[in-house]
Amino acid sequence: MERPAWAPRSIDITVPSVSRIYDFYLGGSHNFEVDREAARRAMEFLPGLPKIMQANRAFMRRAVRFAAQQGIDQFLDIGSGIPTFGNVHEVAREARPDARVVYVDHDPVAVAHSQAVLEGAEFADVVAADLLKPREILDSPQVERLIDLNRPVALLLVAILHFVEDADDPCAAVAELTAALAPGSLLVLTHASYEGIPTSAERAGGAVDVYKDIRNPLIMRSRDEIARFFEGYEMVEPGLVPMPRWRPETAPEEEDPYAFSGIAGVGRTA
Ligand SMILES: C[S@@+](CC[C@H](N)C(=O)[O-])C[C@H]1O[C@@H](n2cnc3c(N)ncnc32)[C@H](O)[C@@H]1O
């Protein structure tokens, strides 16, 4: 298989990655046949997966605009993925031209492509790091340069925590990040869940099995389990809801039922 110029030498292009599968669902071009094959297998069980991802991105953009309207001008986006249409720095800077953004991902393709997109930008950067090592993120030169932790930050954990198993204690990582944030900071989060999926849990489980097969388990959590990530936060209205129901900006259109799979919420530190 030919290795395109954007694929770092360090990656095995015969092994699927969740960031490239996600890129495929969103119609991007930074994915390989192994990624498309895994995505298509998952879509046999959940044909609406691209709709879920679009609802996730649409929520993320609304939440970034909300944060900017609340006066927040610094964004820490962990599990930021491969840049696509409407990235956090674009949405944030439309609302606040002075906004600064640090992206974080552990996937080399996501990091390399973010570096390419951000080349020469003084207001945004990317860190190659793992959510499970919050200190590496918080102490990175990129965060030190761009983010003042004495002022409110919007921490984005969008469609990442469902890739962290309970054994790796995702709540502890979120709590460590939260402890570093100034009062008035926001946590913007989405998470996969069986709640709201317009098909049986058994059928949706077929898609979950595809992620298990590629050794990137997808952990479906209940609303109550997802609420635990918000320890120390006050929920912003309307609380934890299906993604299209979080502060829609236009009159509700006929949404694809799949868009209501997955849960979104924003919390504020006191
Ligand atoms: C589904 S994508 C979400 C991208 C973006 N946040 C969005 O919602 O559009 C999940 C991203 O999380 C990254 N990721 C998963 N586990 C991670 C971890 N432990 N540390 C850092 N990044 C992680 C993956 O590499 C992938 O790029």
Side-chain angles (χ1 to χ4, degrees):
M1 197 186 319
E2 186 115 340
R3 180 184 292 267
W6 53 261
R9 291 252 140 241
S10 60
I11 65 162
D12 182 348
I13 60 177
T14 64
V15 178
S17 97
V18 292
S19 65
R20 299 194 313 257
I21 292 174
Y22 182 70
D23 177 71
F24 173 72
Y25 290 139
L26 287 174
S29 55
H30 292 84
N31 49 72
F32 299 112
E33 190 45 40
V34 278
D35 306 309
R36 297 189 282 275
E37 163 63 20
R40 285 190 206 106
R41 273 201 293 132
M43 283 171 68
E44 281 171 26
F45 298 96
L46 287 179
L49 276 166
K51 282 282 164 211
I52 301 176
M53 309 311 168
Q54 283 159 20
N56 177 66
R57 290 294 293 184
F59 158 77
M60 189 194 78
R61 292 188 203 109
R62 292 197 303 281
V64 167
R65 277 193 284 275
F66 171 81
Q69 283 154 9
Q70 300 287 303
I72 291 189
D73 60 2
Q74 354 183 52
F75 296 79
L76 180 58
D77 181 4
I78 306 182
S80 47
I82 297 171
T84 174
F85 158 77
N87 298 302
V88 170
H89 68 280
E90 292 157 343
V91 179
R93 287 176 72 82
E94 217 172 271
R96 292 210 51 142
D98 55 344
R100 279 161 318 206
V101 180
V102 175
Y103 293 108
V104 180
D105 208 290
H106 69 176
D107 180 294
V109 171
V111 172
H113 195 47
S114 301
Q115 278 164 342
V117 166
L118 298 173
E119 193 167 0
E122 282 179 3
F123 54 81
D125 211 335
V126 57
V127 183
D130 196 306
L131 165 68
L132 296 173
K133 295 184 177 153
R135 239 17 290 168
E136 283 182 18
I137 298 172
L138 295 166
D139 295 340
S140 66
Q142 295 90 326
V143 166
E144 270 182 16
R145 180 169 75 83
L146 290 163
I147 295 195
D148 175 1
L149 289 168
N150 294 312
R151 294 197 302 110
V153 172
L155 169 63
L156 276 68
L157 297 175
V158 180
I160 175 175
L161 286 164
H162 48 228
F163 293 117
V164 185
E165 297 177 87
D166 287 343
D168 289 324
D169 205 350
C171 276
V174 177
E176 196 174 337
L177 289 163
T178 301
L181 301 180
S185 294
L186 298 179
L187 171 61
V188 174
L189 185 151
T190 63
H191 201 293
S193 179
Y194 283 119
E195 291 176 37
I197 284 196
T199 181
S200 66
E202 200 181 18
R203 191 126 191 93
V208 171
D209 286 343
V210 171
Y211 283 87
K212 208 186 288 163
D213 289 349
I214 63 165
R215 289 165 204 276
N216 271 297
L218 176 61
I219 318 299
M220 306 295 259
R221 292 195 171 96
S222 68
R223 203 170 170 285
D224 286 350
E225 288 169 325
I226 297 166
R228 285 189 208 134
F229 293 121
F230 286 95
E231 177 82 43
Y233 292 86
E234 258 169 45
M235 293 311 290
V236 167
E237 281 298 311
L240 273 181
V241 289
M243 296 179 290
R245 298 225 197 283
W246 197 88
R247 296 181 177 245
E249 288 169 346
T250 49
E253 288 169 34
E254 187 91 11
E255 282 270 13
D256 188 294
Y258 274 101
F260 294 87
S261 323
I263 288 177
V266 175
R268 185 185 284 110
T269 54

